[in-house]
Amino acid sequence: MAYTTINKSSDYFDTKTFTGNGTSQSITNLNFKPSLVWLKDRSTAYAQSLFDLHRGTNARIRTDSSDSQDTPVPSALTAFNSDGFTVGGDVGVNQNNDNIVGWNWYSADTMGSANTDGSLNTYATTANTTAGFSIISYTGTGSNATVGHGLGVVPNVIWVKSLSAGGDWTCYWSVLGSTKFMRLNSTIAAGTQSTYWQDTDPTSSVFSIGTAGDVNGSGTNYIAYCFAEKTGYSKFGKYTGNGSTDGAFVYTGFKPAFLMIKRTSGTDQWILYDTKRETGNVMNLALTPDTNDTEQDTSSYNTLDIVSNGFKCRGGSSGSGTGTNQSGGSYIYMAFAEAPLVGTNNVPCTAR
């Protein structure tokens, strides 16, 4: 894991909640101009909506779909602002009186230039080496290739989505290895396929892509999001469930503000918690990135506590509780921290 010089996580990641007004509104008080905005209506079953610096405000991709990007969508996200974003009257992101959440990441204020580190030159790579986050745009060749990610360290998580053609969200998790893949838009267990990552782990400069159409179709445009762990700010790991209400404890080194979990040994949904929608334990208000479902109350099954240095599962193995704590189940997770984080000696602090 790379050390970080981040003293406040909310300079690079933050969650905003708001109530839709059906017309237009600016969501403010972020400490940065967001590079990636992920919006979800909590009250109505509208699509997961992702917008980023490379594709601009008129293009939406969805974690709950394998479709190509929706464009134009002129009344959805209409601006990336210096301290937030503006939404228009699109019901998917601003339905009147609905509760809506937005998760926001920062890479840079402007789109980066082409990266030539790999055998395939990117159209643009925008990287923030401090936060361990980069956005990459490239066009596939249909042949084995490497792609420059710009992070300067080995990424732990990579998401790739085709834009100009339909295709699944293909995900790499370092704890699973390069022979495995996950699909963010699907409940499938971890799969094995050499044509995604060429059975080759990323390096500090590039990640490998094979010939599969989901990551490298000839002439197809793609977006990739790469994440590298930073001590006290982000953690992308795995754990094994025990099926008990006194469940598995997972150490992250910080209090998670955002936590996404998926059982890799079964076909459970992806489950996402954050500490803006729910401020106290037990955490049981879940969203499911692979669906357009409304916010779910999981108090009778997939529950957990978010604590100062990680999280502890509270759900048992019965029924739908297998999403976070199946006895013997294998899980991956993705977590970003609350502030404060790390002291000047790079030792993680407890959040509270």
Side-chain angles (χ1 to χ4, degrees):
M1 181 188 294
Y3 286 108
T4 180
T5 56
I6 295 174
N7 292 315
K8 190 160 75 169
S9 67
S10 58
D11 287 344
Y12 297 92
F13 169 80
D14 206 354
T15 303
K16 301 298 291 185
T17 58
F18 60 98
T19 301
N21 66 7
T23 56
S24 177
Q25 62 175 315
S26 292
I27 310 305
T28 60
N29 295 320
L30 289 177
N31 292 337
F32 54 86
K33 179 180 180 180
S35 310
L36 170 62
V37 178
W38 179 355
L39 297 170
K40 180 65 182 81
D41 190 309
R42 302 160 57 190
S43 308
T44 305
Y46 291 129
Q48 310 274 349
S49 297
L50 281 76
F51 304 86
D52 63 60
L53 179 67
H54 285 210
R55 297 177 299 108
T57 59
N58 285 327
R60 168 172 48 203
I61 50 178
R62 302 166 46 188
T63 61
D64 59 310
S65 173
S66 62
D67 291 348
S68 59
Q69 72 176 351
D70 300 326
T71 186
V73 281
S75 61
L77 189 137
T78 59
F80 297 99
N81 304 322
S82 61
D83 65 346
F85 56 89
T86 301
V87 289
D90 184 277
V91 293
V93 299
N94 195 21
Q95 173 71 26
N96 191 38
N97 294 323
D98 276 8
N99 295 319
I100 298 161
V101 63
W103 303 290
N104 306 272
W105 288 264
Y106 177 71
S107 61
D109 288 340
T110 57
M111 186 168 67
S113 58
N115 182 296
T116 59
D117 290 341
S119 63
L120 183 160
N121 293 342
T122 69
Y123 174 75
T125 297
T126 305
N128 191 302
T129 57
T130 300
F133 173 54
S134 65
I135 303 173
I136 302 102
S137 304
Y138 68 91
T139 300
T141 64
S143 301
N144 287 343
T146 55
V147 181
H149 55 70
L151 292 176
V153 295
V154 178
N156 300 92
V157 171
I158 303 169
W159 300 349
V160 177
K161 179 68 182 77
S162 58
L163 303 177
S164 53
D168 291 308
W169 286 78
T170 305
C171 302
Y172 166 87
W173 242 264
S174 60
V175 293
L176 298 178
S178 57
T179 65
K180 300 293 185 180
F181 70 93
M182 298 296 297
R183 289 180 177 158
L184 192 54
N185 60 295
S186 172
T187 62
I188 67 165
T192 303
Q193 179 57 267
S194 62
T195 58
Y196 285 128
W197 315 119
Q198 297 186 55
D199 292 350
T200 303
D201 288 321
T203 71
S204 60
S205 59
V206 300
F207 64 93
S208 297
I209 51 175
T211 57
D214 288 340
V215 297
N216 193 18
S218 179
T220 301
N221 296 327
Y222 295 87
I223 196 79
Y225 305 126
C226 293
F227 303 88
E229 282 186 359
K230 297 293 181 176
T231 301
Y233 169 71
S234 58
K235 182 73 174 174
F236 316 111
K238 65 179 179 178
Y239 68 94
T240 301
N242 68 8
S244 169
T245 54
D246 183 17
F249 170 73
V250 181
Y251 176 82
T252 61
F254 53 80
K255 180 177 181 178
F258 170 105
L259 177 62
M260 187 168 71
I261 297 171
K262 174 69 175 79
R263 184 159 73 107
T264 61
S265 55
T267 57
D268 299 89
Q269 293 178 319
W270 294 82
I271 299 176
L272 199 163
Y273 302 94
D274 66 68
T275 57
K276 291 292 179 68
R277 291 183 295 119
E278 191 167 21
T279 58
N281 292 320
V282 174
M283 304 290 289
N284 54 36
L285 294 181
L287 287 164
T288 51
D290 54 283
T291 77
N292 67 350
D293 290 350
T294 59
E295 188 172 76
Q296 305 295 309
D297 181 351
T298 64
S299 56
S300 63
Y301 45 101
N302 290 318
T303 61
L304 54 83
D305 290 341
I306 287 182
V307 297
S308 63
N309 58 355
F311 62 96
K312 184 174 179 62
C313 298
R314 293 297 187 186
S317 287
S318 61
S320 300
T322 58
T324 56
N325 196 32
Q326 169 72 39
S327 180
S330 298
Y331 296 85
I332 54 173
Y333 68 90
M334 178 179 210
F336 293 90
E338 278 192 1
L341 298 177
V342 177
T344 55
N345 60 352
N346 278 320
V347 176
C349 306
T350 55
R352 64 172 177 260

